[in-house]
Amino acid sequence: MQQNPVIQADRNSPLVPVISLSLFAVASGFLMSLIPLALDARGMSHDLASWLASVFYAGLLGGSLISARIVGKTGHRKALVAFLISVVGTVGLMATIAEPAVWLAARFIAGVAVAGVFVVIESWLLMADTEKARAKRLGLYMASLYGGSALGQLGIGMFGTEGAMPLMVVAALFSAAMFPPLVIRKGQPQAVAHTSIHFNEMKSLPAAAYIGCIVSGLILGAIYGLLPLELEAKYSHDQVGALMAIVILGGMAVQPLVSWLNSRVEKSLLMALFCLAGLLSIAMYEIATVAAGMMAGLFILGAAAFALYPVAITLACRDLSASKIVAAAELMLLSYSVGSVIGPVIAGEAMSVEGGLMFYLVICFAATLLYMLVSTKRNRSRGANGVDAALPVDI
């Protein structure tokens, strides 16, 4: 069995990863909406947007295969700094060279580095002693990620989409995310033997966890990469930024509810309920006759879309020892990345017809709803309800 020196759940502090993640999320949220909106001003086609999204997630896929080994050799703090330096370099490259090939290469490299950031932060926070503590920390992680992402959307109105200035602001924010691990040297997980998950153990992880992560990638890849273009057809750039912020605020607002429900409701059933909410949100968006109804639909869409991943990853990690948490986080990120690579390409093709993006999201939510309901029934017939026993919260 392969072992690398990595992790101990020994009372590590969530302070560093949460502060760093918050700054990272502001920069990332700004950049994800900026990229598709900035193509015209730089003489590049809108058709490039779906490929930039897919190549980024292809890098995320590749990075998810190697990140755990890097963390094992360097430790969480040093690995986080190294990955963030790589992200800053790619943004600087995009700011100085406006060529499709350069942007595609930069986004791929950024995807590899961002995968490392996520594996470091997720595994750092998941190194808790109890299932409830993990759920609470993951809720904090998701709230920081989506709160920062929502705040980042406001950068479009503040700094615009033209010239090098918006990208330099993004690079500065990514650089600021390096300060917490550089300045605060205590609180990271201590090095112990980290055990890889072998193929037989991969098969034993719940299928619903894999499906939840893949569908999360299918949906979020399309939302991040293409929803700004869908909204741009009807609204100004400033309005697009505000509407994207509403979507992500929905994802942030739902995280306390996800954390509370995670240990009380069967996880496959919980994912089914959020998929149903996603379908209802799209109906609200499509039939809304006033702005408030449309914004409410986008808010609930964000809540439904961003709830799937934390439920799926806690399901995957539920019965694992601390030594296998990094490998599980890497595996779930790999599953998410597979969906994220495919999603923008399929959704991009769907956008060739009016309303195509929303139809794509309906298919994703509806198929997952049916699967999770079948999974729930199967679990109950086997006497496994997927609800964690009540444990004291310890963060």
Short mmCIF file of all heavy atoms in Angstrom, two decimals, residues 240-298:
data_model
loop_
_atom_site.label_atom_id
_atom_site.label_comp_id
_atom_site.label_asym_id
_atom_site.label_seq_id
_atom_site.Cartn_x
_atom_site.Cartn_y
_atom_site.Cartn_z
N VAL A 240 -24.89 42.04 -15.43
CA VAL A 240 -24.46 40.64 -15.46
C VAL A 240 -23.66 40.31 -14.21
O VAL A 240 -23.86 39.26 -13.58
CB VAL A 240 -23.62 40.35 -16.73
CG1 VAL A 240 -22.95 38.98 -16.63
CG2 VAL A 240 -24.50 40.40 -17.96
N GLY A 241 -22.76 41.21 -13.83
CA GLY A 241 -21.97 40.98 -12.61
C GLY A 241 -22.86 40.86 -11.39
O GLY A 241 -22.67 39.99 -10.54
N ALA A 242 -23.86 41.74 -11.30
CA ALA A 242 -24.77 41.70 -10.15
C ALA A 242 -25.60 40.42 -10.14
O ALA A 242 -25.82 39.81 -9.09
CB ALA A 242 -25.68 42.92 -10.17
N LEU A 243 -26.06 39.99 -11.31
CA LEU A 243 -26.88 38.76 -11.40
C LEU A 243 -26.05 37.52 -11.08
O LEU A 243 -26.54 36.58 -10.43
CB LEU A 243 -27.53 38.65 -12.78
CG LEU A 243 -28.60 39.70 -13.09
CD1 LEU A 243 -29.05 39.61 -14.54
CD2 LEU A 243 -29.80 39.56 -12.15
N MET A 244 -24.81 37.49 -11.54
CA MET A 244 -23.93 36.37 -11.19
C MET A 244 -23.66 36.35 -9.69
O MET A 244 -23.55 35.29 -9.08
CB MET A 244 -22.62 36.46 -11.97
CG MET A 244 -22.74 36.10 -13.45
SD MET A 244 -23.29 34.40 -13.74
CE MET A 244 -21.92 33.46 -13.03
N ALA A 245 -23.55 37.55 -9.10
CA ALA A 245 -23.37 37.62 -7.65
C ALA A 245 -24.57 37.03 -6.93
O ALA A 245 -24.43 36.35 -5.90
CB ALA A 245 -23.14 39.07 -7.21
N ILE A 246 -25.77 37.26 -7.46
CA ILE A 246 -26.98 36.69 -6.85
C ILE A 246 -26.95 35.17 -6.90
O ILE A 246 -27.30 34.49 -5.93
CB ILE A 246 -28.23 37.24 -7.56
CG1 ILE A 246 -28.44 38.71 -7.20
CG2 ILE A 246 -29.48 36.43 -7.21
CD1 ILE A 246 -29.53 39.40 -8.00
N VAL A 247 -26.51 34.62 -8.04
CA VAL A 247 -26.40 33.16 -8.16
C VAL A 247 -25.46 32.61 -7.10
O VAL A 247 -25.78 31.63 -6.39
CB VAL A 247 -25.89 32.77 -9.57
CG1 VAL A 247 -25.62 31.27 -9.65
CG2 VAL A 247 -26.89 33.17 -10.64
N ILE A 248 -24.31 33.24 -6.95
CA ILE A 248 -23.31 32.72 -6.02
C ILE A 248 -23.71 32.99 -4.57
O ILE A 248 -23.42 32.17 -3.67
CB ILE A 248 -21.93 33.31 -6.35
CG1 ILE A 248 -21.52 32.90 -7.77
CG2 ILE A 248 -20.88 32.83 -5.36
CD1 ILE A 248 -20.31 33.60 -8.32
N LEU A 249 -24.39 34.10 -4.33
CA LEU A 249 -24.91 34.34 -2.98
C LEU A 249 -25.92 33.27 -2.58
O LEU A 249 -25.99 32.88 -1.40
CB LEU A 249 -25.57 35.72 -2.91
CG LEU A 249 -24.61 36.91 -2.77
CD1 LEU A 249 -25.38 38.22 -2.91
CD2 LEU A 249 -23.88 36.86 -1.43
N GLY A 250 -26.68 32.77 -3.55
CA GLY A 250 -27.57 31.65 -3.26
C GLY A 250 -26.79 30.44 -2.82
O GLY A 250 -27.18 29.75 -1.86
N GLY A 251 -25.65 30.19 -3.48
CA GLY A 251 -24.79 29.08 -3.07
C GLY A 251 -24.21 29.27 -1.70
O GLY A 251 -24.06 28.31 -0.93
N MET A 252 -23.87 30.51 -1.35
CA MET A 252 -23.33 30.78 -0.02
C MET A 252 -24.40 30.66 1.05
O MET A 252 -24.19 30.06 2.11
CB MET A 252 -22.72 32.18 0.01
CG MET A 252 -22.12 32.56 1.37
SD MET A 252 -21.57 34.28 1.45
CE MET A 252 -23.12 35.14 1.44
N ALA A 253 -25.58 31.21 0.76
CA ALA A 253 -26.64 31.24 1.77
C ALA A 253 -27.12 29.85 2.15
O ALA A 253 -27.56 29.62 3.28
CB ALA A 253 -27.81 32.07 1.25
N VAL A 254 -27.04 28.90 1.22
CA VAL A 254 -27.57 27.56 1.50
C VAL A 254 -26.61 26.71 2.33
O VAL A 254 -27.01 25.68 2.87
CB VAL A 254 -27.90 26.84 0.17
CG1 VAL A 254 -26.64 26.26 -0.49
CG2 VAL A 254 -28.94 25.74 0.38
N GLN A 255 -25.34 27.13 2.46
CA GLN A 255 -24.35 26.28 3.11
C GLN A 255 -24.66 25.96 4.57
O GLN A 255 -24.49 24.82 5.00
CB GLN A 255 -22.94 26.88 2.97
CG GLN A 255 -22.45 26.95 1.53
CD GLN A 255 -22.59 25.65 0.79
OE1 GLN A 255 -22.24 24.58 1.30
NE2 GLN A 255 -23.10 25.71 -0.44
N PRO A 256 -25.12 26.91 5.40
CA PRO A 256 -25.50 26.52 6.76
C PRO A 256 -26.60 25.47 6.78
O PRO A 256 -26.59 24.56 7.62
CB PRO A 256 -25.96 27.85 7.39
CG PRO A 256 -25.27 28.91 6.60
CD PRO A 256 -25.20 28.38 5.21
N LEU A 257 -27.55 25.58 5.86
CA LEU A 257 -28.62 24.58 5.77
C LEU A 257 -28.05 23.22 5.35
O LEU A 257 -28.43 22.18 5.91
CB LEU A 257 -29.68 25.04 4.77
CG LEU A 257 -30.85 24.08 4.54
CD1 LEU A 257 -31.64 23.88 5.83
CD2 LEU A 257 -31.75 24.60 3.42
N VAL A 258 -27.13 23.24 4.39
CA VAL A 258 -26.49 21.99 3.97
C VAL A 258 -25.75 21.34 5.13
O VAL A 258 -25.85 20.14 5.37
CB VAL A 258 -25.51 22.24 2.79
CG1 VAL A 258 -24.69 20.99 2.48
CG2 VAL A 258 -26.27 22.69 1.55
N SER A 259 -25.01 22.17 5.88
CA SER A 259 -24.25 21.65 7.02
C SER A 259 -25.19 21.04 8.06
O SER A 259 -24.91 19.97 8.63
CB SER A 259 -23.44 22.79 7.65
OG SER A 259 -22.72 22.34 8.77
N TRP A 260 -26.32 21.68 8.32
CA TRP A 260 -27.27 21.19 9.31
C TRP A 260 -27.96 19.91 8.83
O TRP A 260 -28.14 18.96 9.60
CB TRP A 260 -28.31 22.27 9.60
CG TRP A 260 -29.24 21.93 10.74
CD1 TRP A 260 -28.99 22.08 12.07
CD2 TRP A 260 -30.56 21.39 10.63
NE1 TRP A 260 -30.08 21.65 12.80
CE2 TRP A 260 -31.05 21.23 11.95
CE3 TRP A 260 -31.37 21.03 9.55
CZ2 TRP A 260 -32.32 20.72 12.20
CZ3 TRP A 260 -32.63 20.53 9.81
CH2 TRP A 260 -33.10 20.37 11.13
N LEU A 261 -28.33 19.87 7.56
CA LEU A 261 -29.06 18.71 7.03
C LEU A 261 -28.15 17.51 6.78
O LEU A 261 -28.61 16.36 6.78
CB LEU A 261 -29.76 19.09 5.73
CG LEU A 261 -30.94 20.06 5.84
CD1 LEU A 261 -31.43 20.45 4.44
CD2 LEU A 261 -32.08 19.43 6.64
N ASN A 262 -26.85 17.77 6.56
CA ASN A 262 -25.93 16.71 6.16
C ASN A 262 -25.91 15.55 7.15
O ASN A 262 -25.75 14.39 6.75
CB ASN A 262 -24.51 17.28 6.01
CG ASN A 262 -23.95 17.03 4.64
OD1 ASN A 262 -24.33 16.08 3.96
ND2 ASN A 262 -23.03 17.88 4.22
N SER A 263 -26.02 15.85 8.43
CA SER A 263 -25.96 14.80 9.44
C SER A 263 -27.35 14.36 9.91
O SER A 263 -27.46 13.56 10.83
CB SER A 263 -25.15 15.28 10.65
OG SER A 263 -25.72 16.45 11.21
N ARG A 264 -28.39 14.87 9.26
CA ARG A 264 -29.76 14.55 9.69
C ARG A 264 -30.62 13.90 8.61
O ARG A 264 -31.63 13.28 8.91
CB ARG A 264 -30.45 15.83 10.20
CG ARG A 264 -29.85 16.37 11.49
CD ARG A 264 -30.38 17.75 11.81
NE ARG A 264 -29.94 18.18 13.14
CZ ARG A 264 -28.76 18.72 13.39
NH1 ARG A 264 -27.88 18.91 12.41
NH2 ARG A 264 -28.44 19.08 14.62
N VAL A 265 -30.25 14.10 7.35
CA VAL A 265 -31.03 13.58 6.23
C VAL A 265 -30.13 12.68 5.39
O VAL A 265 -28.95 12.97 5.20
CB VAL A 265 -31.58 14.73 5.35
CG1 VAL A 265 -32.36 14.19 4.16
CG2 VAL A 265 -32.45 15.67 6.19
N GLU A 266 -30.70 11.59 4.91
CA GLU A 266 -29.95 10.69 4.04
C GLU A 266 -29.39 11.48 2.86
O GLU A 266 -30.10 12.25 2.20
CB GLU A 266 -30.88 9.59 3.53
CG GLU A 266 -30.18 8.54 2.70
CD GLU A 266 -31.12 7.41 2.30
OE1 GLU A 266 -32.26 7.42 2.81
OE2 GLU A 266 -30.72 6.57 1.52
N LYS A 267 -28.11 11.30 2.58
CA LYS A 267 -27.42 12.20 1.65
C LYS A 267 -27.92 12.08 0.21
O LYS A 267 -27.99 13.08 -0.51
CB LYS A 267 -25.92 11.98 1.76
CG LYS A 267 -25.38 12.47 3.11
CD LYS A 267 -23.91 12.20 3.28
CE LYS A 267 -23.40 12.80 4.60
NZ LYS A 267 -24.14 12.37 5.79
N SER A 268 -28.24 10.89 -0.25
CA SER A 268 -28.78 10.76 -1.60
C SER A 268 -30.15 11.44 -1.71
O SER A 268 -30.45 12.10 -2.71
CB SER A 268 -28.87 9.29 -2.02
OG SER A 268 -29.64 8.56 -1.10
N LEU A 269 -30.96 11.34 -0.67
CA LEU A 269 -32.25 12.02 -0.66
C LEU A 269 -32.05 13.53 -0.61
O LEU A 269 -32.78 14.29 -1.27
CB LEU A 269 -33.07 11.56 0.55
CG LEU A 269 -34.43 12.24 0.74
CD1 LEU A 269 -35.33 12.02 -0.47
CD2 LEU A 269 -35.11 11.76 2.02
N LEU A 270 -31.06 13.98 0.14
CA LEU A 270 -30.77 15.40 0.24
C LEU A 270 -30.37 15.97 -1.13
O LEU A 270 -30.82 17.05 -1.54
CB LEU A 270 -29.66 15.64 1.26
CG LEU A 270 -29.33 17.08 1.63
CD1 LEU A 270 -30.56 17.83 2.11
CD2 LEU A 270 -28.23 17.11 2.70
N MET A 271 -29.54 15.23 -1.87
CA MET A 271 -29.16 15.68 -3.20
C MET A 271 -30.37 15.70 -4.14
O MET A 271 -30.49 16.58 -5.00
CB MET A 271 -28.03 14.81 -3.76
CG MET A 271 -26.68 15.10 -3.13
SD MET A 271 -25.28 14.27 -3.92
CE MET A 271 -25.32 12.68 -3.10
N ALA A 272 -31.27 14.73 -3.98
CA ALA A 272 -32.50 14.71 -4.80
C ALA A 272 -33.33 15.96 -4.52
O ALA A 272 -33.88 16.58 -5.46
CB ALA A 272 -33.30 13.45 -4.50
N LEU A 273 -33.44 16.35 -3.26
CA LEU A 273 -34.22 17.54 -2.91
C LEU A 273 -33.62 18.81 -3.51
O LEU A 273 -34.35 19.69 -3.99
CB LEU A 273 -34.32 17.66 -1.39
CG LEU A 273 -35.15 16.57 -0.68
CD1 LEU A 273 -35.03 16.73 0.83
CD2 LEU A 273 -36.60 16.63 -1.13
N PHE A 274 -32.30 18.90 -3.51
CA PHE A 274 -31.67 20.08 -4.09
C PHE A 274 -31.82 20.09 -5.62
O PHE A 274 -31.93 21.16 -6.24
CB PHE A 274 -30.20 20.16 -3.68
CG PHE A 274 -30.01 20.70 -2.29
CD1 PHE A 274 -29.38 19.94 -1.32
CD2 PHE A 274 -30.46 21.96 -1.95
CE1 PHE A 274 -29.20 20.41 -0.02
CE2 PHE A 274 -30.29 22.46 -0.66
CZ PHE A 274 -29.66 21.68 0.30
N CYS A 275 -31.83 18.91 -6.24
CA CYS A 275 -32.08 18.85 -7.68
C CYS A 275 -33.50 19.31 -8.00
O CYS A 275 -33.72 20.01 -9.00
CB CYS A 275 -31.85 17.43 -8.20
SG CYS A 275 -30.12 16.95 -8.29
N LEU A 276 -34.45 18.93 -7.16
CA LEU A 276 -35.82 19.40 -7.34
C LEU A 276 -35.88 20.92 -7.21
O LEU A 276 -36.56 21.60 -8.00
CB LEU A 276 -36.74 18.74 -6.30
CG LEU A 276 -38.20 19.17 -6.32
CD1 LEU A 276 -38.84 18.85 -7.67
CD2 LEU A 276 -38.97 18.49 -5.18
N ALA A 277 -35.16 21.46 -6.24
CA ALA A 277 -35.11 22.92 -6.09
C ALA A 277 -34.50 23.57 -7.33
O ALA A 277 -34.94 24.65 -7.76
CB ALA A 277 -34.29 23.28 -4.84
N GLY A 278 -33.49 22.91 -7.92
CA GLY A 278 -32.89 23.43 -9.14
C GLY A 278 -33.89 23.50 -10.29
O GLY A 278 -33.93 24.48 -11.04
N LEU A 279 -34.71 22.47 -10.43
CA LEU A 279 -35.73 22.46 -11.48
C LEU A 279 -36.75 23.58 -11.25
O LEU A 279 -37.15 24.27 -12.20
CB LEU A 279 -36.43 21.10 -11.52
CG LEU A 279 -35.57 19.92 -12.01
CD1 LEU A 279 -36.31 18.61 -11.81
CD2 LEU A 279 -35.19 20.11 -13.47
N LEU A 280 -37.17 23.76 -10.01
CA LEU A 280 -38.12 24.81 -9.70
C LEU A 280 -37.53 26.20 -9.97
O LEU A 280 -38.22 27.11 -10.43
CB LEU A 280 -38.56 24.70 -8.23
CG LEU A 280 -39.39 23.45 -7.88
CD1 LEU A 280 -39.66 23.40 -6.38
CD2 LEU A 280 -40.70 23.42 -8.66
N SER A 281 -36.23 26.35 -9.69
CA SER A 281 -35.59 27.65 -9.90
C SER A 281 -35.56 28.02 -11.38
O SER A 281 -35.76 29.19 -11.75
CB SER A 281 -34.17 27.63 -9.34
OG SER A 281 -33.29 26.85 -10.14
N ILE A 282 -35.31 27.03 -12.24
CA ILE A 282 -35.28 27.30 -13.68
C ILE A 282 -36.67 27.67 -14.18
O ILE A 282 -36.83 28.57 -15.03
CB ILE A 282 -34.71 26.09 -14.43
CG1 ILE A 282 -33.23 25.89 -14.05
CG2 ILE A 282 -34.82 26.29 -15.95
CD1 ILE A 282 -32.63 24.59 -14.54
N ALA A 283 -37.69 26.99 -13.65
CA ALA A 283 -39.07 27.35 -14.01
C ALA A 283 -39.37 28.79 -13.59
O ALA A 283 -39.99 29.56 -14.36
CB ALA A 283 -40.04 26.39 -13.34
N MET A 284 -38.93 29.18 -12.40
CA MET A 284 -39.13 30.55 -11.93
C MET A 284 -38.44 31.55 -12.86
O MET A 284 -39.01 32.59 -13.21
CB MET A 284 -38.61 30.72 -10.51
CG MET A 284 -39.42 30.02 -9.44
SD MET A 284 -38.68 30.23 -7.80
CE MET A 284 -38.81 32.02 -7.59
N TYR A 285 -37.20 31.25 -13.24
CA TYR A 285 -36.43 32.15 -14.11
C TYR A 285 -37.12 32.32 -15.47
O TYR A 285 -37.20 33.43 -16.00
CB TYR A 285 -35.02 31.59 -14.29
CG TYR A 285 -34.17 32.36 -15.27
CD1 TYR A 285 -33.50 33.52 -14.88
CD2 TYR A 285 -34.04 31.93 -16.59
CE1 TYR A 285 -32.72 34.23 -15.79
CE2 TYR A 285 -33.27 32.63 -17.50
CZ TYR A 285 -32.61 33.77 -17.09
OH TYR A 285 -31.85 34.47 -18.00
N GLU A 286 -37.62 31.21 -16.02
CA GLU A 286 -38.19 31.25 -17.36
C GLU A 286 -39.55 31.94 -17.41
O GLU A 286 -39.88 32.59 -18.41
CB GLU A 286 -38.31 29.82 -17.91
CG GLU A 286 -36.97 29.17 -18.22
CD GLU A 286 -36.23 29.83 -19.36
OE1 GLU A 286 -36.88 30.52 -20.19
OE2 GLU A 286 -34.99 29.70 -19.44
N ILE A 287 -40.36 31.77 -16.36
CA ILE A 287 -41.72 32.32 -16.41
C ILE A 287 -41.84 33.68 -15.73
O ILE A 287 -42.91 34.29 -15.76
CB ILE A 287 -42.74 31.34 -15.79
CG1 ILE A 287 -42.51 31.21 -14.28
CG2 ILE A 287 -42.69 30.00 -16.48
CD1 ILE A 287 -43.55 30.36 -13.57
N ALA A 288 -40.75 34.15 -15.12
CA ALA A 288 -40.81 35.41 -14.36
C ALA A 288 -41.18 36.57 -15.28
O ALA A 288 -40.65 36.70 -16.39
CB ALA A 288 -39.48 35.68 -13.69
N THR A 289 -42.09 37.40 -14.83
CA THR A 289 -42.49 38.59 -15.60
C THR A 289 -41.96 39.88 -14.96
O THR A 289 -42.09 40.95 -15.53
CB THR A 289 -44.02 38.67 -15.69
OG1 THR A 289 -44.58 38.66 -14.36
CG2 THR A 289 -44.57 37.48 -16.48
N VAL A 290 -41.40 39.76 -13.76
CA VAL A 290 -40.80 40.91 -13.08
C VAL A 290 -39.38 40.56 -12.68
O VAL A 290 -39.03 39.38 -12.55
CB VAL A 290 -41.62 41.34 -11.85
CG1 VAL A 290 -42.99 41.83 -12.26
CG2 VAL A 290 -41.74 40.20 -10.85
N ALA A 291 -38.56 41.59 -12.47
CA ALA A 291 -37.14 41.36 -12.15
C ALA A 291 -36.97 40.57 -10.86
O ALA A 291 -36.07 39.73 -10.75
CB ALA A 291 -36.41 42.70 -12.06
N ALA A 292 -37.83 40.82 -9.88
CA ALA A 292 -37.70 40.14 -8.59
C ALA A 292 -37.86 38.63 -8.74
O ALA A 292 -37.14 37.85 -8.11
CB ALA A 292 -38.73 40.68 -7.61
N GLY A 293 -38.80 38.21 -9.58
CA GLY A 293 -39.00 36.78 -9.80
C GLY A 293 -37.81 36.14 -10.50
O GLY A 293 -37.39 35.03 -10.15
N MET A 294 -37.24 36.85 -11.48
CA MET A 294 -36.06 36.34 -12.17
C MET A 294 -34.87 36.22 -11.23
O MET A 294 -34.15 35.22 -11.23
CB MET A 294 -35.74 37.27 -13.34
CG MET A 294 -34.53 36.84 -14.17
SD MET A 294 -32.99 37.57 -13.56
CE MET A 294 -33.29 39.31 -13.85
N MET A 295 -34.67 37.23 -10.38
CA MET A 295 -33.55 37.20 -9.44
C MET A 295 -33.74 36.11 -8.39
O MET A 295 -32.78 35.46 -7.99
CB MET A 295 -33.37 38.57 -8.78
CG MET A 295 -32.85 39.63 -9.74
SD MET A 295 -32.42 41.20 -8.94
CE MET A 295 -34.05 41.85 -8.57
N ALA A 296 -34.99 35.90 -7.96
CA ALA A 296 -35.27 34.82 -7.01
C ALA A 296 -34.94 33.47 -7.63
O ALA A 296 -34.39 32.58 -6.97
CB ALA A 296 -36.73 34.87 -6.56
N GLY A 297 -35.29 33.31 -8.92
CA GLY A 297 -34.96 32.07 -9.62
C GLY A 297 -33.46 31.84 -9.68
O GLY A 297 -32.99 30.72 -9.46
N LEU A 298 -32.69 32.88 -9.98
CA LEU A 298 -31.24 32.75 -10.04
C LEU A 298 -30.65 32.45 -8.66
O LEU A 298 -29.70 31.66 -8.53
CB LEU A 298 -30.62 34.03 -10.60
CG LEU A 298 -30.85 34.30 -12.10
CD1 LEU A 298 -30.29 35.65 -12.49
CD2 LEU A 298 -30.24 33.19 -12.95
#
